[in-house]
Amino acid sequence: MMSTALSATAKANAKLSPARRIQNTMMGGIILLATLAVVAPLILIFLYLLREGVGALNVDFFTKTPAPEGETGGGLLNAIMGSITMLAMASVIGVLVGVAGGIFLAEYPRHPLMPTIRMISDVLAGIPAIVMGLVAYGLIVLVFGFSGLAGALALGFLMIPIVVRTTEEVLKLVPLNVREAGLALGLPQWLVIMRIVLPAARGGIITGVMLALARVAGEAAPLLFTAFGNPNVNFDPSKPMSALPLEIYRGATSAYDENQRLAKAGALLLILLIFATSLLARYATRQRK
C-alpha cells in the first residue's frame, strides 16, 4: 500500500513544474525537521529512562515498599497500589459526571442550561492540574486531612472535561435517524439515549475514558496537596496514600542514588503504562470504525 502511495506521489510530482517540485521538497523537509524536533526529546527521555531504570524493574520493585533513606533495595508496591486505587475512584467521579455532561451537551442542545454547562466544561479544561489539587485541598483536606479520597477527587476533576468533550463528539457521530427510529416507536428520549444512542457510541466513550486515565495517571502536583503519600501499602481512602508520580517526584529530588534509581524505574513504568493505554484506546477506536 505504501509503495502504491509513493508511486502515486511520484507520478503526481512528475506532472508539476520544476519550481513547484523544489517548493514541495523544501516544505516536506521543513515539516520533517519540525516533526523530529517534537519527537526527538520524547525519544531521548524514553531511551534515558530505559537505560537507567530498566535494571530496577525486578521482582522487588513490584512486591516491596521503599527501603529507609540511605538503604538499598525495596520497591514501589505502595505507589503502584495507591495509583490503581486512586485512579479507580477517580474513574467513578470522572466517568459519571463526564458522560452525563457529554450526553447533556450532545442530546439537549436547546436546553437553557446548555451554555452554562458548556462554559463550565471549557473552563475546567483550561484549569491547571495544581489548581485542581488546591480545590480538593480546600474541600476535603482542610476538613478531614490528607487522604486517598482527596487525591481521587482531584484526579476526577481533571478527567471530567476530557470525558465530556469525548462523549459529546462521539454522540454527535451517531446518525440522527437512529434516534428518530427510537422516538417513532414511542420511546421517551431518555430511553432512546440509554438503550440506543449510548450503546452505539460505547467504543468511543471507552476510548475517551482511557485517554483521560492516561492523562491524569502522571499528575503529581494535585496529589502533593491531597494524597500526600504513604510509605506503606494502604487501601483505606480516608488515609494518606502513595502514587507513582509522588514517588517519582520524591525519588528524583532525593540525594540518595537508590531513591533516584527507583524514581527512574517508576517513571519508565508510568510511561509504559500510558503508552499501553493509548494503544488500547487506538485499538478500541479502530474496532469501532
Side-chain angles (χ1 to χ4, degrees):
M1 181 179 293
M2 183 174 292
S3 60
T4 305
L6 291 175
S7 176
T9 303
K11 290 180 180 178
N13 285 335
K15 297 178 182 179
L16 299 175
S17 64
R20 185 64 179 270
R21 285 202 297 271
I22 293 173
Q23 189 179 21
N24 285 352
T25 303
M26 290 178 60
M27 292 306 298
I30 292 173
I31 293 172
L32 179 62
L33 289 175
T35 304
L36 290 176
V38 173
V39 175
L42 299 177
I43 295 176
L44 291 175
I45 291 172
F46 180 74
L47 292 177
Y48 173 77
L49 292 175
L50 195 63
R51 186 188 66 186
E52 299 290 333
V54 71
L57 291 177
N58 49 30
V59 176
D60 288 350
F61 182 86
F62 295 98
T63 57
K64 293 184 178 179
T65 56
E69 292 282 343
E71 296 185 9
T72 59
L76 294 182
L77 178 62
N78 58 330
I80 295 171
M81 292 294 103
S83 284
I84 294 174
T85 304
M86 281 193 283
L87 287 176
M89 291 190 292
S91 297
V92 175
I93 301 169
V95 172
L96 288 179
V97 180
V99 171
I103 292 174
F104 185 81
L105 293 178
E107 302 297 325
Y108 300 93
R110 296 180 181 176
H111 195 281
L113 290 177
M114 193 270 198
T116 304
I117 300 296
R118 182 174 295 283
M119 185 189 69
I120 293 174
S121 174
D122 292 341
V123 171
L124 284 176
I127 293 178
I130 193 169
V131 177
M132 290 294 189
L134 291 173
V135 172
Y137 178 85
L139 291 176
I140 294 185
V141 177
L142 288 180
V143 181
F144 302 103
F146 294 104
S147 65
L149 181 61
L153 184 65
L155 297 182
F157 284 161
L158 291 171
M159 286 183 64
I160 288 173
I162 304 173
V163 179
V164 167
R165 288 286 181 85
T166 308
T167 303
E168 181 188 4
E169 295 302 324
V170 170
L171 291 181
K172 286 180 177 177
L173 295 177
V174 178
L176 184 61
N177 55 11
V178 173
R179 297 175 177 81
E180 292 175 344
L183 295 172
L185 293 174
L187 298 175
Q189 186 176 3
W190 68 269
L191 198 55
V192 171
I193 295 171
M194 297 300 294
R195 294 291 183 85
I196 300 175
V197 178
L198 281 182
R202 180 175 53 196
I205 295 173
I206 292 174
T207 301
V209 172
M210 294 172 70
L211 292 176
L213 279 173
R215 160 74 173 77
V216 303
E219 292 290 349
L223 299 182
L224 290 171
F225 297 100
T226 52
F228 192 68
N230 193 326
N232 302 312
V233 177
N234 173 40
F235 294 104
D236 186 352
S238 65
K239 295 181 179 179
M241 192 175 288
S242 186
L244 277 173
L246 287 177
E247 294 298 333
I248 293 170
Y249 171 76
R250 289 173 179 164
T253 55
S254 173
Y256 297 99
D257 293 338
E258 183 65 15
N259 293 344
Q260 294 182 7
R261 188 176 68 92
L262 286 178
K264 293 169 184 173
L268 178 61
L269 175 64
L270 193 59
I271 289 177
L272 291 176
L273 289 176
I274 293 173
F275 184 64
T277 305
S278 299
L279 285 181
L280 284 174
R282 288 182 177 275
Y283 176 76
T285 306
R286 188 172 301 174
Q287 290 294 100
R288 181 171 59 86
K289 292 178 178 178

